[in-house]
Amino acid sequence: MHPHLSRLSAALAAVDDETETIASWGRKLAAVLTGGGRLLACGNGGSAAEAQHLTAELVGRFRDDRRPYAAIPLHADTSSVSAIANDFGAREVYARQVRAHGRPGDVLMCLSTSGSSPNVLAAALAARECGLTTWALTGPGPNPLTDLCDDALPVAAADTATVQEVHLAVIHMLCHALEEACA
């Protein structure tokens, strides 16, 4: 087997132990979204792409045809991102948007392969201050983000690509659990 596939296989096998956590997140998120709440998601680079993938599955659909749910990828509003970075600094890019869009009871999904991205940590702090539930998908834990969020799923893989690929699998499992809970 190719070394990349071996690393991915081992990381996926370890995440199988987190199936109930992911299902629990799906049920909680279903209750939030069907109750009129929203999901905010943030990350940098590949993690931003994963955050946007998650929100697209919720606004569009994963498998089942259903009503769209409120889900916002915080990196995707380039005008806001550039204005906030210019006026307040890169650390505040997501935190300021959490304060603007987040409401008590909403969920913030933080994605970070390092678990130490300053702007993602600031978003989690802002979410806590605003009464949002915070979840993290990270690389190996413990890390500052897993310690800061209400719940976290760290992926014990040293390779960034492997962590991101496992995050995508977790996102799909989360969407499946959400749609099951909404059925």
mmCIF file of all heavy atoms in Angstrom, residues 41-98:
data_model
loop_
_atom_site.group_PDB
_atom_site.id
_atom_site.type_symbol
_atom_site.label_atom_id
_atom_site.label_comp_id
_atom_site.label_asym_id
_atom_site.label_seq_id
_atom_site.Cartn_x
_atom_site.Cartn_y
_atom_site.Cartn_z
ATOM 1 N N ALA A 41 -18.667 28.480 10.372
ATOM 2 C CA ALA A 41 -17.504 27.602 10.250
ATOM 3 C C ALA A 41 -16.288 28.421 9.833
ATOM 4 O O ALA A 41 -16.400 29.335 9.010
ATOM 5 C CB ALA A 41 -17.779 26.497 9.237
ATOM 6 N N CYS A 42 -15.134 28.068 10.417
ATOM 7 C CA CYS A 42 -13.921 28.813 10.068
ATOM 8 C C CYS A 42 -12.708 27.905 10.047
ATOM 9 O O CYS A 42 -12.673 26.859 10.700
ATOM 10 C CB CYS A 42 -13.698 29.969 11.036
ATOM 11 S SG CYS A 42 -13.372 29.502 12.742
ATOM 12 N N GLY A 43 -11.730 28.319 9.267
ATOM 13 C CA GLY A 43 -10.454 27.639 9.146
ATOM 14 C C GLY A 43 -9.596 28.407 8.163
ATOM 15 O O GLY A 43 -10.064 29.352 7.524
ATOM 16 N N ASN A 44 -8.360 28.013 8.037
ATOM 17 C CA ASN A 44 -7.412 28.666 7.131
ATOM 18 C C ASN A 44 -6.910 27.673 6.093
ATOM 19 O O ASN A 44 -6.745 26.495 6.396
ATOM 20 C CB ASN A 44 -6.217 29.216 7.923
ATOM 21 C CG ASN A 44 -6.629 30.280 8.905
ATOM 22 O OD1 ASN A 44 -7.189 31.295 8.535
ATOM 23 N ND2 ASN A 44 -6.370 30.037 10.187
ATOM 24 N N GLY A 45 -6.692 28.148 4.876
ATOM 25 C CA GLY A 45 -6.138 27.293 3.831
ATOM 26 C C GLY A 45 -7.034 26.108 3.539
ATOM 27 O O GLY A 45 -8.229 26.261 3.275
ATOM 28 N N GLY A 46 -6.477 24.902 3.617
ATOM 29 C CA GLY A 46 -7.258 23.693 3.372
ATOM 30 C C GLY A 46 -8.400 23.546 4.359
ATOM 31 O O GLY A 46 -9.473 23.032 4.009
ATOM 32 N N SER A 47 -8.206 24.001 5.580
ATOM 33 C CA SER A 47 -9.278 23.940 6.579
ATOM 34 C C SER A 47 -10.417 24.893 6.222
ATOM 35 O O SER A 47 -11.583 24.611 6.515
ATOM 36 C CB SER A 47 -8.742 24.249 7.975
ATOM 37 O OG SER A 47 -7.829 23.248 8.388
ATOM 38 N N ALA A 48 -10.104 26.011 5.579
ATOM 39 C CA ALA A 48 -11.161 26.911 5.088
ATOM 40 C C ALA A 48 -11.959 26.211 3.999
ATOM 41 O O ALA A 48 -13.194 26.315 3.959
ATOM 42 C CB ALA A 48 -10.551 28.215 4.556
ATOM 43 N N ALA A 49 -11.273 25.486 3.136
ATOM 44 C CA ALA A 49 -11.971 24.738 2.090
ATOM 45 C C ALA A 49 -12.892 23.690 2.711
ATOM 46 O O ALA A 49 -14.026 23.493 2.258
ATOM 47 C CB ALA A 49 -10.962 24.083 1.144
ATOM 48 N N GLU A 50 -12.429 23.021 3.761
ATOM 49 C CA GLU A 50 -13.263 22.036 4.462
ATOM 50 C C GLU A 50 -14.465 22.713 5.119
ATOM 51 O O GLU A 50 -15.580 22.185 5.095
ATOM 52 C CB GLU A 50 -12.445 21.286 5.516
ATOM 53 C CG GLU A 50 -11.243 20.549 4.993
ATOM 54 C CD GLU A 50 -11.574 19.287 4.225
ATOM 55 O OE1 GLU A 50 -12.747 18.954 4.041
ATOM 56 O OE2 GLU A 50 -10.617 18.612 3.812
ATOM 57 N N ALA A 51 -14.256 23.886 5.721
ATOM 58 C CA ALA A 51 -15.351 24.635 6.338
ATOM 59 C C ALA A 51 -16.401 24.986 5.292
ATOM 60 O O ALA A 51 -17.612 24.854 5.524
ATOM 61 C CB ALA A 51 -14.816 25.902 7.011
ATOM 62 N N GLN A 52 -15.949 25.417 4.138
ATOM 63 C CA GLN A 52 -16.877 25.765 3.063
ATOM 64 C C GLN A 52 -17.572 24.525 2.512
ATOM 65 O O GLN A 52 -18.753 24.573 2.155
ATOM 66 C CB GLN A 52 -16.155 26.518 1.953
ATOM 67 C CG GLN A 52 -17.112 27.137 0.949
ATOM 68 C CD GLN A 52 -16.432 28.167 0.072
ATOM 69 O OE1 GLN A 52 -15.252 28.479 0.241
ATOM 70 N NE2 GLN A 52 -17.163 28.715 -0.862
ATOM 71 N N HIS A 53 -16.890 23.417 2.466
ATOM 72 C CA HIS A 53 -17.509 22.163 2.026
ATOM 73 C C HIS A 53 -18.658 21.812 2.970
ATOM 74 O O HIS A 53 -19.760 21.474 2.522
ATOM 75 C CB HIS A 53 -16.463 21.049 2.003
ATOM 76 C CG HIS A 53 -16.945 19.780 1.389
ATOM 77 N ND1 HIS A 53 -16.486 19.323 0.183
ATOM 78 C CD2 HIS A 53 -17.849 18.872 1.812
ATOM 79 C CE1 HIS A 53 -17.085 18.181 -0.114
ATOM 80 N NE2 HIS A 53 -17.928 17.880 0.875
ATOM 81 N N LEU A 54 -18.420 21.921 4.278
ATOM 82 C CA LEU A 54 -19.461 21.629 5.259
ATOM 83 C C LEU A 54 -20.670 22.544 5.078
ATOM 84 O O LEU A 54 -21.808 22.074 5.015
ATOM 85 C CB LEU A 54 -18.900 21.779 6.679
ATOM 86 C CG LEU A 54 -19.920 21.727 7.823
ATOM 87 C CD1 LEU A 54 -20.692 20.425 7.831
ATOM 88 C CD2 LEU A 54 -19.206 21.959 9.150
ATOM 89 N N THR A 55 -20.442 23.829 4.954
ATOM 90 C CA THR A 55 -21.573 24.749 4.832
ATOM 91 C C THR A 55 -22.324 24.541 3.523
ATOM 92 O O THR A 55 -23.540 24.673 3.487
ATOM 93 C CB THR A 55 -21.131 26.217 4.986
ATOM 94 O OG1 THR A 55 -20.165 26.543 3.975
ATOM 95 C CG2 THR A 55 -20.540 26.473 6.378
ATOM 96 N N ALA A 56 -21.617 24.179 2.460
ATOM 97 C CA ALA A 56 -22.282 23.899 1.180
ATOM 98 C C ALA A 56 -23.198 22.690 1.299
ATOM 99 O O ALA A 56 -24.296 22.678 0.728
ATOM 100 C CB ALA A 56 -21.247 23.680 0.075
ATOM 101 N N GLU A 57 -22.773 21.674 2.041
ATOM 102 C CA GLU A 57 -23.616 20.487 2.239
ATOM 103 C C GLU A 57 -24.895 20.842 2.988
ATOM 104 O O GLU A 57 -25.943 20.232 2.766
ATOM 105 C CB GLU A 57 -22.858 19.401 3.023
ATOM 106 C CG GLU A 57 -21.603 18.885 2.367
ATOM 107 C CD GLU A 57 -21.814 17.942 1.201
ATOM 108 O OE1 GLU A 57 -22.908 17.940 0.605
ATOM 109 O OE2 GLU A 57 -20.864 17.214 0.869
ATOM 110 N N LEU A 58 -24.818 21.840 3.867
ATOM 111 C CA LEU A 58 -25.986 22.214 4.670
ATOM 112 C C LEU A 58 -26.915 23.176 3.940
ATOM 113 O O LEU A 58 -28.133 23.058 4.031
ATOM 114 C CB LEU A 58 -25.537 22.816 6.005
ATOM 115 C CG LEU A 58 -24.734 21.857 6.891
ATOM 116 C CD1 LEU A 58 -24.232 22.575 8.126
ATOM 117 C CD2 LEU A 58 -25.534 20.623 7.245
ATOM 118 N N VAL A 59 -26.355 24.123 3.224
ATOM 119 C CA VAL A 59 -27.185 25.060 2.459
ATOM 120 C C VAL A 59 -27.773 24.357 1.237
ATOM 121 O O VAL A 59 -28.928 24.572 0.880
ATOM 122 C CB VAL A 59 -26.378 26.315 2.049
ATOM 123 C CG1 VAL A 59 -27.194 27.213 1.136
ATOM 124 C CG2 VAL A 59 -25.929 27.092 3.293
ATOM 125 N N GLY A 60 -26.983 23.518 0.608
ATOM 126 C CA GLY A 60 -27.461 22.711 -0.521
ATOM 127 C C GLY A 60 -28.107 21.456 0.024
ATOM 128 O O GLY A 60 -29.168 21.495 0.617
ATOM 129 N N ARG A 61 -27.421 20.351 -0.156
ATOM 130 C CA ARG A 61 -27.854 19.096 0.449
ATOM 131 C C ARG A 61 -26.674 18.148 0.459
ATOM 132 O O ARG A 61 -25.731 18.287 -0.319
ATOM 133 C CB ARG A 61 -29.027 18.482 -0.303
ATOM 134 C CG ARG A 61 -28.673 17.979 -1.685
ATOM 135 C CD ARG A 61 -29.815 17.234 -2.299
ATOM 136 N NE ARG A 61 -29.427 16.827 -3.642
ATOM 137 C CZ ARG A 61 -30.226 16.227 -4.462
ATOM 138 N NH1 ARG A 61 -31.465 15.960 -4.102
ATOM 139 N NH2 ARG A 61 -29.827 15.872 -5.655
ATOM 140 N N PHE A 62 -26.773 17.186 1.328
ATOM 141 C CA PHE A 62 -25.774 16.119 1.374
ATOM 142 C C PHE A 62 -26.289 14.959 0.533
ATOM 143 O O PHE A 62 -25.838 14.756 -0.582
ATOM 144 C CB PHE A 62 -25.492 15.709 2.821
ATOM 145 C CG PHE A 62 -24.517 14.568 2.940
ATOM 146 C CD1 PHE A 62 -23.231 14.666 2.439
ATOM 147 C CD2 PHE A 62 -24.886 13.394 3.568
ATOM 148 C CE1 PHE A 62 -22.336 13.610 2.541
ATOM 149 C CE2 PHE A 62 -23.990 12.334 3.689
ATOM 150 C CZ PHE A 62 -22.717 12.444 3.175
ATOM 151 N N ARG A 63 -27.269 14.247 1.035
ATOM 152 C CA ARG A 63 -27.883 13.165 0.262
ATOM 153 C C ARG A 63 -29.360 13.435 0.020
ATOM 154 O O ARG A 63 -29.848 13.280 -1.074
ATOM 155 C CB ARG A 63 -27.730 11.827 0.996
ATOM 156 C CG ARG A 63 -26.335 11.291 0.978
ATOM 157 C CD ARG A 63 -26.312 9.800 1.297
ATOM 158 N NE ARG A 63 -24.961 9.292 1.152
ATOM 159 C CZ ARG A 63 -24.194 8.940 2.166
ATOM 160 N NH1 ARG A 63 -24.640 9.010 3.388
ATOM 161 N NH2 ARG A 63 -22.979 8.497 1.942
ATOM 162 N N ASP A 64 -30.054 13.793 1.077
ATOM 163 C CA ASP A 64 -31.507 13.934 1.001
ATOM 164 C C ASP A 64 -31.918 15.320 0.537
ATOM 165 O O ASP A 64 -31.285 16.316 0.889
ATOM 166 C CB ASP A 64 -32.131 13.663 2.380
ATOM 167 C CG ASP A 64 -31.834 12.256 2.877
ATOM 168 O OD1 ASP A 64 -31.675 11.360 2.029
ATOM 169 O OD2 ASP A 64 -31.761 12.066 4.101
ATOM 170 N N ASP A 65 -32.992 15.364 -0.238
ATOM 171 C CA ASP A 65 -33.562 16.647 -0.634
ATOM 172 C C ASP A 65 -34.350 17.176 0.565
ATOM 173 O O ASP A 65 -35.274 16.530 1.040
ATOM 174 C CB ASP A 65 -34.468 16.475 -1.859
ATOM 175 C CG ASP A 65 -34.809 17.794 -2.503
ATOM 176 O OD1 ASP A 65 -34.183 18.812 -2.145
ATOM 177 O OD2 ASP A 65 -35.708 17.804 -3.357
ATOM 178 N N ARG A 66 -33.954 18.301 1.062
ATOM 179 C CA ARG A 66 -34.557 18.885 2.253
ATOM 180 C C ARG A 66 -34.426 20.393 2.162
ATOM 181 O O ARG A 66 -33.776 20.919 1.276
ATOM 182 C CB ARG A 66 -33.871 18.352 3.511
ATOM 183 C CG ARG A 66 -32.363 18.538 3.404
ATOM 184 C CD ARG A 66 -31.657 18.582 4.710
ATOM 185 N NE ARG A 66 -30.217 18.536 4.530
ATOM 186 C CZ ARG A 66 -29.481 19.547 4.116
ATOM 187 N NH1 ARG A 66 -30.015 20.705 3.812
ATOM 188 N NH2 ARG A 66 -28.179 19.414 3.984
ATOM 189 N N ARG A 67 -35.013 21.074 3.123
ATOM 190 C CA ARG A 67 -34.898 22.528 3.115
ATOM 191 C C ARG A 67 -33.448 22.933 3.400
ATOM 192 O O ARG A 67 -32.716 22.185 4.049
ATOM 193 C CB ARG A 67 -35.858 23.152 4.124
ATOM 194 C CG ARG A 67 -35.446 23.028 5.572
ATOM 195 C CD ARG A 67 -36.492 23.738 6.450
ATOM 196 N NE ARG A 67 -36.164 23.710 7.851
ATOM 197 C CZ ARG A 67 -35.493 24.670 8.492
ATOM 198 N NH1 ARG A 67 -35.056 25.728 7.854
ATOM 199 N NH2 ARG A 67 -35.258 24.561 9.785
ATOM 200 N N PRO A 68 -33.045 24.088 2.918
ATOM 201 C CA PRO A 68 -31.684 24.543 3.195
ATOM 202 C C PRO A 68 -31.552 25.013 4.646
ATOM 203 O O PRO A 68 -32.519 25.498 5.236
ATOM 204 C CB PRO A 68 -31.498 25.716 2.222
ATOM 205 C CG PRO A 68 -32.873 26.196 1.930
ATOM 206 C CD PRO A 68 -33.779 25.008 2.042
ATOM 207 N N TYR A 69 -30.369 24.858 5.183
ATOM 208 C CA TYR A 69 -30.092 25.296 6.548
ATOM 209 C C TYR A 69 -29.101 26.456 6.529
ATOM 210 O O TYR A 69 -28.268 26.567 5.632
ATOM 211 C CB TYR A 69 -29.540 24.140 7.380
ATOM 212 C CG TYR A 69 -30.535 23.019 7.553
ATOM 213 C CD1 TYR A 69 -30.237 21.736 7.131
ATOM 214 C CD2 TYR A 69 -31.780 23.257 8.123
ATOM 215 C CE1 TYR A 69 -31.152 20.704 7.286
ATOM 216 C CE2 TYR A 69 -32.701 22.234 8.270
ATOM 217 C CZ TYR A 69 -32.385 20.962 7.853
ATOM 218 O OH TYR A 69 -33.295 19.951 7.997
ATOM 219 N N ALA A 70 -29.188 27.301 7.543
ATOM 220 C CA ALA A 70 -28.321 28.473 7.653
ATOM 221 C C ALA A 70 -26.915 28.049 8.078
ATOM 222 O O ALA A 70 -26.715 27.577 9.196
ATOM 223 C CB ALA A 70 -28.910 29.461 8.656
ATOM 224 N N ALA A 71 -25.973 28.204 7.178
ATOM 225 C CA ALA A 71 -24.582 27.836 7.441
ATOM 226 C C ALA A 71 -23.679 28.814 6.698
ATOM 227 O O ALA A 71 -23.844 29.022 5.499
ATOM 228 C CB ALA A 71 -24.320 26.406 6.992
ATOM 229 N N ILE A 72 -22.736 29.403 7.427
ATOM 230 C CA ILE A 72 -21.902 30.465 6.862
ATOM 231 C C ILE A 72 -20.423 30.112 7.016
ATOM 232 O O ILE A 72 -19.934 29.949 8.133
ATOM 233 C CB ILE A 72 -22.173 31.805 7.580
ATOM 234 C CG1 ILE A 72 -23.659 32.177 7.503
ATOM 235 C CG2 ILE A 72 -21.297 32.907 7.011
ATOM 236 C CD1 ILE A 72 -24.053 33.331 8.418
ATOM 237 N N PRO A 73 -19.680 30.032 5.884
ATOM 238 C CA PRO A 73 -18.226 29.874 5.970
ATOM 239 C C PRO A 73 -17.599 31.265 6.132
ATOM 240 O O PRO A 73 -17.702 32.112 5.246
ATOM 241 C CB PRO A 73 -17.865 29.238 4.622
ATOM 242 C CG PRO A 73 -18.903 29.779 3.679
ATOM 243 C CD PRO A 73 -20.158 29.984 4.500
ATOM 244 N N LEU A 74 -16.987 31.527 7.250
ATOM 245 C CA LEU A 74 -16.564 32.889 7.582
ATOM 246 C C LEU A 74 -15.444 33.427 6.701
ATOM 247 O O LEU A 74 -15.266 34.638 6.625
ATOM 248 C CB LEU A 74 -16.175 32.964 9.057
ATOM 249 C CG LEU A 74 -17.312 32.646 10.029
ATOM 250 C CD1 LEU A 74 -16.812 32.744 11.471
ATOM 251 C CD2 LEU A 74 -18.514 33.559 9.806
ATOM 252 N N HIS A 75 -14.728 32.581 6.009
ATOM 253 C CA HIS A 75 -13.653 33.072 5.142
ATOM 254 C C HIS A 75 -14.160 33.517 3.773
ATOM 255 O O HIS A 75 -13.443 34.176 3.032
ATOM 256 C CB HIS A 75 -12.602 31.971 4.930
ATOM 257 C CG HIS A 75 -13.086 30.892 4.044
ATOM 258 N ND1 HIS A 75 -13.934 29.898 4.490
ATOM 259 C CD2 HIS A 75 -12.906 30.658 2.714
ATOM 260 C CE1 HIS A 75 -14.231 29.106 3.476
ATOM 261 N NE2 HIS A 75 -13.618 29.540 2.388
ATOM 262 N N ALA A 76 -15.379 33.162 3.422
ATOM 263 C CA ALA A 76 -15.843 33.309 2.040
ATOM 264 C C ALA A 76 -16.316 34.708 1.676
ATOM 265 O O ALA A 76 -16.458 35.006 0.495
ATOM 266 C CB ALA A 76 -16.947 32.297 1.756
ATOM 267 N N ASP A 77 -16.567 35.561 2.656
ATOM 268 C CA ASP A 77 -16.968 36.942 2.374
ATOM 269 C C ASP A 77 -15.689 37.777 2.264
ATOM 270 O O ASP A 77 -15.224 38.369 3.231
ATOM 271 C CB ASP A 77 -17.886 37.455 3.478
ATOM 272 C CG ASP A 77 -18.362 38.883 3.261
ATOM 273 O OD1 ASP A 77 -17.882 39.555 2.317
ATOM 274 O OD2 ASP A 77 -19.207 39.341 4.050
ATOM 275 N N THR A 78 -15.119 37.811 1.063
ATOM 276 C CA THR A 78 -13.791 38.424 0.888
ATOM 277 C C THR A 78 -13.769 39.907 1.225
ATOM 278 O O THR A 78 -12.757 40.406 1.718
ATOM 279 C CB THR A 78 -13.274 38.201 -0.544
ATOM 280 O OG1 THR A 78 -14.225 38.718 -1.476
ATOM 281 C CG2 THR A 78 -13.040 36.730 -0.807
ATOM 282 N N SER A 79 -14.860 40.604 0.990
ATOM 283 C CA SER A 79 -14.875 42.028 1.336
ATOM 284 C C SER A 79 -14.795 42.224 2.839
ATOM 285 O O SER A 79 -14.028 43.061 3.331
ATOM 286 C CB SER A 79 -16.135 42.700 0.783
ATOM 287 O OG SER A 79 -16.127 42.670 -0.621
ATOM 288 N N SER A 80 -15.564 41.446 3.590
ATOM 289 C CA SER A 80 -15.496 41.538 5.051
ATOM 290 C C SER A 80 -14.134 41.086 5.558
ATOM 291 O O SER A 80 -13.543 41.738 6.423
ATOM 292 C CB SER A 80 -16.590 40.691 5.709
ATOM 293 O OG SER A 80 -17.854 41.269 5.498
ATOM 294 N N VAL A 81 -13.630 39.972 5.042
ATOM 295 C CA VAL A 81 -12.340 39.457 5.488
ATOM 296 C C VAL A 81 -11.244 40.495 5.273
ATOM 297 O O VAL A 81 -10.459 40.779 6.181
ATOM 298 C CB VAL A 81 -11.991 38.134 4.758
ATOM 299 C CG1 VAL A 81 -10.527 37.754 4.968
ATOM 300 C CG2 VAL A 81 -12.902 37.016 5.237
ATOM 301 N N SER A 82 -11.206 41.104 4.083
ATOM 302 C CA SER A 82 -10.135 42.065 3.810
ATOM 303 C C SER A 82 -10.314 43.351 4.616
ATOM 304 O O SER A 82 -9.332 43.921 5.095
ATOM 305 C CB SER A 82 -10.033 42.351 2.312
ATOM 306 O OG SER A 82 -11.217 42.944 1.823
ATOM 307 N N ALA A 83 -11.546 43.789 4.802
ATOM 308 C CA ALA A 83 -11.781 45.005 5.594
ATOM 309 C C ALA A 83 -11.416 44.780 7.059
ATOM 310 O O ALA A 83 -10.765 45.626 7.685
ATOM 311 C CB ALA A 83 -13.245 45.436 5.478
ATOM 312 N N ILE A 84 -11.829 43.645 7.615
ATOM 313 C CA ILE A 84 -11.525 43.358 9.019
ATOM 314 C C ILE A 84 -10.024 43.204 9.219
ATOM 315 O O ILE A 84 -9.456 43.756 10.165
ATOM 316 C CB ILE A 84 -12.282 42.102 9.496
ATOM 317 C CG1 ILE A 84 -13.797 42.363 9.492
ATOM 318 C CG2 ILE A 84 -11.824 41.679 10.890
ATOM 319 C CD1 ILE A 84 -14.658 41.113 9.610
ATOM 320 N N ALA A 85 -9.369 42.479 8.326
ATOM 321 C CA ALA A 85 -7.917 42.304 8.435
ATOM 322 C C ALA A 85 -7.204 43.648 8.350
ATOM 323 O O ALA A 85 -6.257 43.903 9.101
ATOM 324 C CB ALA A 85 -7.408 41.360 7.348
ATOM 325 N N ASN A 86 -7.666 44.506 7.461
ATOM 326 C CA ASN A 86 -7.049 45.820 7.304
ATOM 327 C C ASN A 86 -7.265 46.696 8.534
ATOM 328 O O ASN A 86 -6.339 47.358 9.001
ATOM 329 C CB ASN A 86 -7.624 46.511 6.065
ATOM 330 C CG ASN A 86 -6.952 47.836 5.791
ATOM 331 O OD1 ASN A 86 -5.758 47.881 5.522
ATOM 332 N ND2 ASN A 86 -7.714 48.919 5.875
ATOM 333 N N ASP A 87 -8.484 46.710 9.047
ATOM 334 C CA ASP A 87 -8.830 47.629 10.133
ATOM 335 C C ASP A 87 -8.526 47.090 11.532
ATOM 336 O O ASP A 87 -8.257 47.871 12.447
ATOM 337 C CB ASP A 87 -10.315 47.991 10.070
ATOM 338 C CG ASP A 87 -10.669 48.774 8.808
ATOM 339 O OD1 ASP A 87 -9.753 49.288 8.126
ATOM 340 O OD2 ASP A 87 -11.880 48.873 8.505
ATOM 341 N N PHE A 88 -8.594 45.770 11.709
ATOM 342 C CA PHE A 88 -8.461 45.194 13.044
ATOM 343 C C PHE A 88 -7.353 44.155 13.167
ATOM 344 O O PHE A 88 -7.068 43.692 14.267
ATOM 345 C CB PHE A 88 -9.793 44.551 13.474
ATOM 346 C CG PHE A 88 -10.932 45.524 13.517
ATOM 347 C CD1 PHE A 88 -11.806 45.634 12.447
ATOM 348 C CD2 PHE A 88 -11.118 46.351 14.615
ATOM 349 C CE1 PHE A 88 -12.852 46.535 12.468
ATOM 350 C CE2 PHE A 88 -12.161 47.258 14.647
ATOM 351 C CZ PHE A 88 -13.029 47.353 13.575
ATOM 352 N N GLY A 89 -6.778 43.728 12.045
ATOM 353 C CA GLY A 89 -5.724 42.715 12.061
ATOM 354 C C GLY A 89 -6.266 41.334 11.747
ATOM 355 O O GLY A 89 -7.450 41.050 11.959
ATOM 356 N N ALA A 90 -5.398 40.486 11.237
ATOM 357 C CA ALA A 90 -5.794 39.145 10.801
ATOM 358 C C ALA A 90 -6.359 38.298 11.937
ATOM 359 O O ALA A 90 -7.234 37.455 11.715
ATOM 360 C CB ALA A 90 -4.596 38.429 10.175
ATOM 361 N N ARG A 91 -5.913 38.524 13.156
ATOM 362 C CA ARG A 91 -6.405 37.746 14.289
ATOM 363 C C ARG A 91 -7.907 37.907 14.483
ATOM 364 O O ARG A 91 -8.586 37.000 14.958
ATOM 365 C CB ARG A 91 -5.662 38.159 15.559
ATOM 366 C CG ARG A 91 -6.003 37.324 16.761
ATOM 367 C CD ARG A 91 -5.230 37.790 18.007
ATOM 368 N NE ARG A 91 -5.529 36.955 19.143
ATOM 369 C CZ ARG A 91 -6.625 37.068 19.893
ATOM 370 N NH1 ARG A 91 -7.536 37.974 19.612
ATOM 371 N NH2 ARG A 91 -6.822 36.260 20.922
ATOM 372 N N GLU A 92 -8.453 39.040 14.107
ATOM 373 C CA GLU A 92 -9.869 39.337 14.341
ATOM 374 C C GLU A 92 -10.791 38.982 13.174
ATOM 375 O O GLU A 92 -12.002 39.182 13.265
ATOM 376 C CB GLU A 92 -10.035 40.827 14.661
ATOM 377 C CG GLU A 92 -9.535 41.194 16.037
ATOM 378 C CD GLU A 92 -10.299 40.471 17.134
ATOM 379 O OE1 GLU A 92 -11.547 40.541 17.155
ATOM 380 O OE2 GLU A 92 -9.641 39.824 17.969
ATOM 381 N N VAL A 93 -10.230 38.436 12.092
ATOM 382 C CA VAL A 93 -11.020 38.186 10.878
ATOM 383 C C VAL A 93 -12.264 37.344 11.156
ATOM 384 O O VAL A 93 -13.349 37.656 10.667
ATOM 385 C CB VAL A 93 -10.142 37.543 9.784
ATOM 386 C CG1 VAL A 93 -10.971 36.900 8.700
ATOM 387 C CG2 VAL A 93 -9.221 38.597 9.181
ATOM 388 N N TYR A 94 -12.127 36.288 11.944
ATOM 389 C CA TYR A 94 -13.277 35.424 12.221
ATOM 390 C C TYR A 94 -14.028 35.858 13.479
ATOM 391 O O TYR A 94 -15.252 35.777 13.523
ATOM 392 C CB TYR A 94 -12.840 33.963 12.345
ATOM 393 C CG TYR A 94 -12.225 33.418 11.080
ATOM 394 C CD1 TYR A 94 -11.101 32.610 11.122
ATOM 395 C CD2 TYR A 94 -12.762 33.717 9.835
ATOM 396 C CE1 TYR A 94 -10.545 32.103 9.963
ATOM 397 C CE2 TYR A 94 -12.207 33.223 8.675
ATOM 398 C CZ TYR A 94 -11.092 32.414 8.747
ATOM 399 O OH TYR A 94 -10.538 31.920 7.595
ATOM 400 N N ALA A 95 -13.320 36.329 14.479
ATOM 401 C CA ALA A 95 -13.961 36.716 15.738
ATOM 402 C C ALA A 95 -14.986 37.830 15.515
ATOM 403 O O ALA A 95 -16.095 37.786 16.064
ATOM 404 C CB ALA A 95 -12.910 37.161 16.747
ATOM 405 N N ARG A 96 -14.636 38.793 14.711
ATOM 406 C CA ARG A 96 -15.564 39.900 14.461
ATOM 407 C C ARG A 96 -16.821 39.403 13.743
ATOM 408 O O ARG A 96 -17.932 39.834 14.044
ATOM 409 C CB ARG A 96 -14.867 40.994 13.661
ATOM 410 C CG ARG A 96 -15.664 42.281 13.617
ATOM 411 C CD ARG A 96 -14.739 43.467 13.445
ATOM 412 N NE ARG A 96 -15.511 44.687 13.394
ATOM 413 C CZ ARG A 96 -15.747 45.469 14.435
ATOM 414 N NH1 ARG A 96 -15.267 45.153 15.623
ATOM 415 N NH2 ARG A 96 -16.452 46.568 14.307
ATOM 416 N N GLN A 97 -16.653 38.470 12.831
ATOM 417 C CA GLN A 97 -17.814 37.908 12.126
ATOM 418 C C GLN A 97 -18.655 37.040 13.060
ATOM 419 O O GLN A 97 -19.892 37.018 12.949
ATOM 420 C CB GLN A 97 -17.356 37.086 10.921
ATOM 421 C CG GLN A 97 -16.766 37.950 9.811
ATOM 422 C CD GLN A 97 -16.386 37.095 8.634
ATOM 423 O OE1 GLN A 97 -17.255 36.728 7.852
ATOM 424 N NE2 GLN A 97 -15.106 36.767 8.515
ATOM 425 N N VAL A 98 -18.026 36.329 13.983
ATOM 426 C CA VAL A 98 -18.781 35.549 14.974
ATOM 427 C C VAL A 98 -19.649 36.495 15.795
ATOM 428 O O VAL A 98 -20.835 36.226 16.020
ATOM 429 C CB VAL A 98 -17.835 34.735 15.886
ATOM 430 C CG1 VAL A 98 -18.576 34.194 17.105
ATOM 431 C CG2 VAL A 98 -17.184 33.597 15.106
#
